[in-house]
Amino acid sequence: MKIPHQPHANGVFEETNGGFDTSPRQHLYRKLSSPVMPAFMVSAPGKVIVYGEHAVVHGKGAIAAAISLRSYLLVTALSKSRRTVTLRFPDIRLDHTWDIDELPWSSFSHPSKKKFYYDLVTSLDSDLVAALEPHVSNVSPKTPEEVRKVHRAAATCFLYLFLSLGSQASPPCIYTLRSTIPIGAGLGSSASISVCLSAALLLQIRALAGPHPDQPGDESELQLERINRWAFVGEMAIHGNPSGVDNTVASGGRAVLFKRTDYQKPPTVTPLRNFPELPLLLVNTRQPRSTATEVAKVSTLKQAHPVVTDMMLESIDRITESAHQLITSSTFDERDSSSFQHLGELIRMNHGLLVSLGVSHPRLERIRELVDHADIGWTKLTGAGGGGCAITMLKPDADPESLRALDSNLEAENFEIYRTTLGGNGVGVLWPAILQNGSEEEGGEEIDQEKFLNAVGNDGVEQLVGVGEAKKREGWKFWRV
């Protein structure tokens, strides 16, 4: 992937064999004139909790995996004379432009505050957040307060990353986001967006190498870690105190084993690189839920029935560990029907225990009932419960006619259906933003602002720029570990 050279406040990054010299040295250089960089795209997946929700709150393990629902970010360079940066997110009706030269660069570049792309940032700087406030407070002033809160959180995430990783010489650009991930459904939509922004900004300052087919695994791992660290900063700007699991899955894909025994210390997040790609039915109940309310239910139950509740949480932990041991064993074969059956039975048992903890909902139980009647897979709630989404791991031999009938029954009861894949790729790059879409354009179809914004719904976005599932779309590249 060839990226035009860009001077940056951290130094000049020189191309080397297989990548770029990203050491924080200062070099003397002669500024060369260069054309406007081509439009490019970044994409990152959402996630589901496959095993272990609620138990993870009480110090047990949980397995979270990527899904093929994704966010897509198109970066379009403007004429250098424009001196503006725009964030467009039509899915939430956000469209705001800032004057680059009016942003608080002096605050972010002060020697006591400056962070470099290779730094580990574990908390937001309150002074820098305060410096952003005047530039965030004027976002979407005429929208309802509930919507405005979402817009301001997105703007804070973007600006904190933009000013931390860029410089006042950053090129004027439009950053346009589209997402096929339901927002507010516990599927990691904000982390997916944070990963897209982190990767795009790091690419623009030439702080990433690749991705390319011959890239060594340890080099790919370094790039993913760099993306993940800054995505976590974006998540902090949105959520305050995120766990880190969502952005880790969105960066690296596949799945992770997540555990946090001491909330005063960082969690343990272990990538599961051998997690299989599995067909998944994701169903949104459209029932609003509160994570805090559902977590409080389990805490209350634990106070009333400590021994029994602890046994249920311990059983969920053993389910998670059983899945972990199977997936990481040297003899694991995802094509083996007994392995598939084992994972499915664990999903069913995990759901039963969550029902006993009181965090299901009649709408979730109705989904499970319809799936069980169709006999096409194993179902459980995912996330906090009390509404939200259910996942079904589909049996390899699921009858197509039964699947069609199930879709009709779910739609008739106002459920939202997504056919997805579990355990797929993490963050990917399309540079330049050109795809072979069967168009008559020479060299492929260039993805521009108009086409991207005019894509209708999830199907339109996937048809235009989707990374593909069973067959990966030519042009998209991913870091492999």
Side-chain angles (χ1 to χ4, degrees), residues 6-7 31 34-40 74-87 96-101 103 105 158 162 166-176 201 204 449:
Q6 301 268 347
K31 186 175 180 180
S34 60
V36 173
M37 67 178 175
F40 70 95
L74 173 64
V75 182
T76 308
L78 301 172
S79 165
K80 293 180 180 180
S81 62
R82 292 285 291 272
R83 303 305 301 149
T84 60
V85 61
T86 297
L87 179 63
H96 193 85
T97 298
W98 293 271
D99 186 315
I100 292 175
D101 295 322
L103 293 172
W105 295 107
F158 171 71
F162 183 70
S167 73
Q168 197 163 351
S170 294
C173 288
I174 300 174
Y175 297 82
T176 305
L201 292 166
Q204 285 185 288
Q449 287 284 322

Side-chain angles (χ1 to χ4, degrees), residues 211-225:
H212 56 81
D214 300 324
Q215 193 165 27
D218 56 349
E219 185 180 279
S220 290
E221 191 166 7
L222 174 63
Q223 314 311 307
L224 289 172
E225 177 61 24

Side-chain angles (χ1 to χ4, degrees), residues 29 122 155 161 163 199 203 205 220 292 308 326 393 425 445:
Y29 65 91
T122 58
L161 293 178
L163 274 87
L203 282 166
I205 64 168
S220 290
V308 176
L326 174 64
M393 194 172 84
N425 286 310
E445 181 177 9

Side-chain angles (χ1 to χ4, degrees), residues 257-307:
L257 176 66
F258 174 86
K259 196 168 189 176
R260 193 171 200 168
T261 55
D262 184 349
Y263 275 77
Q264 303 303 314
K265 297 178 181 179
T268 301
V269 181
T270 307
L272 304 178
R273 302 302 186 194
N274 293 327
F275 194 91
E277 289 194 42
L278 303 171
L280 188 76
L281 179 67
L282 175 69
V283 183
N284 189 355
T285 63
R286 303 183 194 264
Q287 175 66 39
R289 87 284 185 272
S290 164
T291 299
T293 298
E294 301 307 313
V295 169
K297 282 183 184 178
V298 178
S299 295
T300 301
L301 191 69
K302 190 175 181 181
Q303 290 176 354
H305 308 282
V307 175

Side-chain angles (χ1 to χ4, degrees), residues 1 3 13 16-23 117-118 195 198-200 202-203 205-212 215-231 247-248 250-252 273 427-429 478-481:
M1 183 173 66
I3 306 174
F13 299 96
T16 61
N17 293 330
F20 300 98
D21 175 9
T22 54
S23 60
Y117 70 89
Y118 49 81
V195 167
S198 168
L202 287 165
L203 282 166
I205 64 168
R206 301 178 59 79
L208 295 177
H212 56 81
Q215 193 165 27
D218 56 349
E219 185 180 279
S220 290
E221 191 166 7
L222 174 63
Q223 314 311 307
L224 289 172
E225 177 61 24
R226 191 166 289 165
I227 294 168
N228 189 29
R229 285 182 175 187
W230 283 103
N247 49 277
T248 302
S251 297
R273 302 302 186 194
V427 60
V429 180
F478 304 88
W479 283 277
R480 310 287 189 186
V481 178

